[in-house]
Amino acid sequence: MNIKQLTTSIIASSVLALSATTAFAGAAEDQGMAISKEAKARDEGWVDMTASMNMVLRNKQGQESIREIRMKVLEIIGDGDKSLSIFDRPRDVKGTAFLSFSHTSGADDQWLYLPALKRVKRIASRNKSGPFMGSEFSFEDLASFEIEKYTYKFIGEQPCAIGSCLVVEQYPTDKNSGYKKRIVWIDKAEYRMLKTDFYDRKNSLLKTLTSEQFQQYKGKFWRPSLMKMVNHQSKKSTDLSYKQYKFGNGLTAADFNKNTLKRAR
Amino acid sequence: MKRIAWIAIGSGLLMQPALADELFFEATGKISTEVTFYAADGQFANQNYRTNLSLSAEPEFYWQWNEQRDSLTFSPFFRKDQRDSERTHADIRELSWVHLAENWELRTGLRKVFWGVTEFQNLVDVINQKDQVEGLDKEHKLGQPMINLSLVKDWGIVDFYLLPGFREQTYAGANGRLRAGLVVSDDATTYQATNREKHIDLAARWSHSLDVYDFGAHWYKGTDRSPQYKAISEHGKPVLSAHYQQIEQVGLDLQATIDSWLWKGELIYQDNPQQNFWASQLGVEYTFYGIQDTATDLGLLFEFGKDQRGKKANNIMQNDIGIGARFALNDTQSTTMLVGAIHDLDYHTTSFSVEAERRIGDDWKASIEARAFSTDNSDDPAAIFDQDDYLKLTLDWYF
């Protein structure tokens, strides 16, 4: 393509984009939000959940490193969830525990328990984009999905691993997010997030997350047993598998405080 | 072989923690090898060496039963030191039974408790005695006998402590480094209380989190963990004797976590037979996340310690500023480094430290700790360390 052709095609596409924007002002945005709201709504009402997480971290050379975490989560309607994560592996961090009260708006409240010192430390939740335990998952990748955390744009329908998917761009509203945007593939039948592309602050493709082996719990809630995160820039990857999902454990807010954090095991 | 069997039993049960009435058991722990290199021979008698080797082990045995409502933890500690017979020691860090109910828990036995928010010293951390031979950082503590009732309320957590039995501070022996010119005698300890180490101490603490604030308030009445020293003669040899007085203390600790800032403060007011005084440790920590487009976080620390007793305080940060830089690489090996300095505004002396650690493979961790003392002022209590600049390498194996 020579310069002239390029210029022509840029002008043409700008005109197209312009007319599209004028004709359906906010339509793609509204549709994107509606799809995301539907996905959220279909996953509400699970009350509480416990699960074991196993992470396999692989570097560029394929060397593996293992992480094992158990978690308890309490659903809070109208706000972010409360969660308690207990680290089992690697062994030097065994007994370390992490308590988080996430919020739909504003900073999350987070505490870390360091068993060697018996110390509970309140930590800044500003660090959303940092790696979780050295893995390719960042803290924000593992946080609960809240409508207020993004603005939306519907892209279109595409075939995907399970049937047909709705493709939505999500733009983080938090200035501390590590991403400019993420593109999610949500299957039309059950509104499960099957795939996510993460774009860094410079808008280059950074990571791809694919979720597999979905199982339905309580006749309603779909959960993947395997989440594969590949970092396209560093060539590292992390496989996160969930075991022993258990819903309806009778957890209450009383299971999430500094005392339960200190004796979490 | 036995250990492998325990782990197998432990991990097998771990897979089904919800099963009622089943006994859960787990054995974990670490074994550490430590080599210390000193820059020079020590300034006192019997300190003419520059390397020291030491081994330690700290296993932990844990049982849980009654649908996770009861648990027992046993964690003994052993150290063998090449040079210092006082540093060769054993302790029970924890031997405690915890019973949980709906809104309270009862913790009984030998335990460790941490109170506080600041980094360079924790004035409010009064429950446990320091295991000082383990290191200068005061992070190592002796297990304290206690009955601790903890109540969880909407308005915070309230802890009551009954502390029967007192533990004396540990000190380096005649062949140890990082000690005063005179050795502290084990046999010459004196107490203000007539029932000596059997005095029953009491404490209470209320702590709560509201919005960005985490705070605690405490009251303590009993034997002072920090003794007063007196030079005496024992079998014709000059030694130091430690005297433990009775104190009553109230204190506050507060942290505000605002965006990348942590504002921290600890304040105590103490009444003892000699005087009433207050002391404070105030500071701030700011963290730069993901510096230079990497995953590395850099935290900058600044703290100021003040003790109303001034130079008479048996507190090494009586009028001192501390600065530090904490690096967390957030890599697979969890590499961290902390560089710090403490400057004494009364004596114009400074000490420097570097601490770094990194996991090796899945079960090993290597650490480096280096300290340098520019404390050539005989008035400063820290002058005793002036010849003790050291580099310590530690290799931990976790099981």
Side-chain angles (χ1 to χ4, degrees):
Chain A
M1 195 188 276
N2 62 34
I3 294 293
K4 201 177 161 190
Q5 278 172 318
L6 182 70
T7 319
T8 316
S9 74
I10 287 175
I11 291 170
S13 52
S14 309
V15 169
L16 265 176
L18 194 67
S19 57
T21 318
T22 331
F24 317 100
E29 284 78 2
D30 290 347
Q31 214 176 338
M33 179 180 280
I35 294 163
S36 303
K37 273 188 172 167
E38 177 64 20
K40 177 78 183 165
R42 288 195 184 207
D43 199 51
E44 267 178 356
W46 48 269
V47 188
D48 74 57
M49 188 264 284
T50 59
S52 299
M53 291 162 66
N54 181 295
M55 282 182 157
V56 181
L57 285 55
R58 282 189 199 91
N59 68 10
K60 221 170 162 178
Q61 291 77 35
Q63 270 181 314
E64 293 186 351
S65 182
I66 305 293
R67 305 283 182 272
E68 282 175 17
I69 303 123
R70 282 167 297 135
M71 55 194 291
K72 296 180 179 180
V73 192
L74 181 68
E75 182 184 33
I76 306 289
I77 302 288
D79 200 359
D81 301 335
K82 293 188 179 198
S83 73
L84 181 63
S85 310
I86 306 150
F87 303 120
D88 291 326
R89 290 277 174 95
R91 289 200 168 98
D92 63 301
V93 299
K94 183 170 169 56
T96 304
F98 178 67
L99 177 67
S100 174
F101 297 172
S102 64
H103 300 298
T104 47
S105 60
D108 297 344
D109 305 331
Q110 299 178 340
W111 297 265
L112 192 65
Y113 174 64
L114 305 167
L117 303 177
K118 308 283 177 204
R119 180 171 185 173
V120 173
K121 263 188 172 186
R122 172 81 174 259
I123 56 174
S125 62
R126 157 76 179 74
N127 183 24
K128 293 186 184 321
S129 58
F132 177 76
M133 295 187 87
S135 76
E136 295 312 304
F137 286 85
S138 68
F139 286 91
E140 63 184 312
D141 299 342
L142 295 168
S144 64
F145 175 76
E146 305 298 338
I147 293 294
E148 296 82 353
K149 286 181 178 173
Y150 301 90
T151 60
Y152 303 88
K153 195 174 173 185
F154 176 59
I155 298 298
E157 266 187 61
Q158 280 177 20
C160 56
I162 316 173
S164 184
C165 276
L166 302 164
V167 187
V168 178
E169 285 186 348
Q170 303 182 329
Y171 298 86
T173 51
D174 188 334
K175 63 178 178 12
N176 297 324
S177 169
Y179 310 121
K180 168 94 173 168
K181 69 168 180 220
R182 47 184 229 178
I183 305 178
V184 297
W185 278 258
I186 299 170
D187 83 297
K188 268 178 90 176
E190 297 288 351
Y191 279 76
R192 295 165 295 196
M193 290 194 193
L194 302 184
K195 185 178 139 181
T196 309
D197 276 343
F198 297 88
Y199 288 79
D200 66 15
R201 283 269 161 207
K202 293 170 188 143
N203 212 17
S204 324
L205 179 61
L206 177 63
K207 302 188 293 194
T208 298
L209 172 69
T210 40
S211 300
E212 301 170 8
Q213 300 168 25
F214 277 87
Q215 282 183 24
Q216 199 174 24
Y217 297 87
K218 297 203 120 184
K220 187 174 177 196
F221 311 109
W222 290 95
R223 291 287 183 279
S225 300
L226 180 62
M227 295 170 86
K228 290 180 169 175
M229 184 73 92
V230 176
N231 188 317
H232 303 290
Q233 295 180 7
S234 70
K235 309 292 176 206
K236 293 185 199 168
S237 68
T238 299
D239 287 355
L240 167 56
S241 48
Y242 285 95
K243 290 186 183 78
Q244 295 164 297
Y245 271 122
K246 208 171 159 245
F247 291 84
N249 302 278
L251 298 179
T252 67
D255 292 298
F256 300 86
N257 61 44
K258 285 188 201 173
N259 269 13
T260 62
L261 176 66
K262 280 193 267 193
R263 65 174 142 80
R265 2 222 319 174
Chain B
M1 198 57 220
K2 228 176 201 170
R3 183 177 61 76
I4 294 166
W6 284 342
I7 291 167
I9 294 166
S11 51
L13 290 172
L14 190 66
M15 294 295 114
Q16 307 134 8
L19 286 183
D21 294 330
E22 200 158 350
L23 179 71
F24 170 85
F25 173 73
E26 186 174 50
T28 55
K30 71 170 180 176
I31 291 173
S32 307
T33 309
E34 155 198 307
V35 194
T36 310
F37 302 95
Y38 292 94
D41 287 356
Q43 58 181 311
F44 307 118
N46 304 314
Q47 291 187 332
N48 298 323
Y49 60 86
R50 294 189 185 186
T51 61
N52 183 53
L53 183 69
S54 195
L55 296 170
S56 70
E58 190 168 359
E60 184 179 288
F61 307 98
Y62 178 81
W63 294 264
Q64 192 182 62
W65 68 97
N66 191 15
E67 292 175 327
Q68 304 178 41
R69 282 197 290 270
D70 287 283
S71 65
L72 183 73
T73 307
F74 175 44
S75 184
F77 172 82
F78 311 92
R79 174 173 297 286
K80 174 71 187 164
D81 195 79
Q82 181 193 358
R83 311 264 183 192
D84 186 355
S85 60
E86 291 291 321
R87 200 163 181 257
T88 295
H89 70 301
D91 182 43
I92 297 173
R93 294 293 197 232
E94 189 165 354
L95 175 56
S96 83
W97 163 57
V98 176
H99 177 74
L100 307 178
E102 193 71 23
N103 297 312
W104 54 270
E105 58 186 271
L106 185 68
R107 308 158 180 151
T108 310
L110 291 154
R111 293 178 58 83
K112 281 200 293 185
V113 171
F114 179 89
W115 294 348
V117 289
T118 52
E119 301 299 319
F120 287 91
Q121 70 165 348
N122 296 104
L123 294 166
V124 300
D125 191 25
V126 294
I127 297 289
N128 290 81
Q129 183 58 275
K130 310 287 177 270
D131 194 359
Q132 198 177 238
V133 288
E134 281 298 301
L136 292 179
D137 55 19
K138 298 192 174 176
E139 285 178 355
H140 305 277
K141 299 171 180 175
L142 300 170
Q144 167 68 43
M146 67 178 72
I147 299 171
N148 168 207
L149 176 67
S150 186
L151 309 175
V152 180
K153 303 284 183 191
D154 292 338
W155 37 270
I157 293 173
V158 190
D159 281 290
F160 297 100
Y161 296 87
L162 182 79
L163 307 165
F166 170 80
R167 313 283 311 274
E168 287 177 36
Q169 195 167 307
T170 59
Y171 298 96
N175 296 310
R177 300 283 298 246
L178 297 160
R179 64 163 170 87
L182 297 179
V183 172
V184 179
S185 165
D186 287 340
D187 305 323
T189 304
T190 58
Y191 291 87
Q192 182 191 340
T194 47
N195 51 353
R196 296 172 59 88
E197 76 278 6
K198 291 187 185 72
H199 186 272
I200 294 173
D201 303 336
L202 299 169
R205 183 170 192 258
W206 168 59
S207 63
H208 196 32
S209 299
L210 266 183
D211 192 24
V212 298
Y213 303 100
D214 285 66
F215 47 88
H218 79 263
W219 166 81
Y220 173 83
K221 191 173 193 304
T223 309
D224 192 353
R225 272 51 179 150
S226 309
Q228 319 284 315
Y229 301 104
K230 201 166 66 183
I232 58 160
S233 175
E234 190 180 68
H235 313 300
K237 271 199 329 199
V239 293
L240 291 177
S241 78
H243 176 71
Y244 293 96
Q245 57 187 0
Q246 290 293 308
I247 62 163
E248 183 165 10
Q249 172 177 309
V250 287
L252 290 170
D253 55 271
L254 172 72
Q255 179 176 318
T257 306
I258 302 168
D259 202 30
S260 301
W261 293 91
L262 308 181
W263 299 89
K264 304 168 175 191
E266 296 186 13
L267 182 70
I268 57 164
Y269 182 79
Q270 190 185 104
D271 182 1
N272 68 42
Q274 292 160 26
Q275 76 239 88
N276 300 339
F277 72 93
W278 58 264
S280 64
Q281 182 80 6
L282 302 170
V284 66
E285 181 169 350
Y286 183 84
T287 304
F288 297 93
Y289 294 99
I291 54 168
Q292 304 282 331
D293 276 333
T294 64
T296 300
D297 299 334
L298 167 62
L300 299 179
L301 299 156
F302 177 83
E303 281 182 18
F304 175 55
K306 184 83 184 164
D307 190 309
Q308 194 192 2
R309 294 169 296 177
K311 292 181 177 179
K312 292 194 201 101
N314 58 351
N315 168 1
I316 217 143
M317 287 193 76
Q318 85 294 345
N319 187 21
D320 291 50
I321 52 171
I323 55 166
R326 195 202 310 268
F327 294 87
L329 268 55
N330 293 313
D331 54 351
T332 311
Q333 294 81 21
S334 305
T335 312
T336 59
M337 183 165 76
L338 176 64
V339 183
I342 294 175
H343 179 72
D344 192 310
L345 297 167
D346 285 337
Y347 301 107
H348 310 292
T349 54
T350 310
S351 61
F352 304 90
S353 70
V354 177
E355 292 168 39
E357 60 178 50
R358 182 179 173 85
R359 180 166 47 247
I360 300 170
D362 280 332
D363 301 334
W364 298 80
K365 190 162 81 179
S367 354
I368 297 174
E369 179 187 308
R371 281 179 203 270
F373 303 93
S374 177
T375 51
D376 187 17
N377 177 347
S378 56
D379 294 334
D380 185 356
I384 56 174
F385 304 136
D386 196 45
Q387 298 294 310
D388 286 335
D389 294 359
Y390 69 87
L391 172 71
K392 183 155 86 180
L393 307 176
T394 309
L395 188 63
D396 299 319
W397 177 61
Y398 292 85
F399 60 91

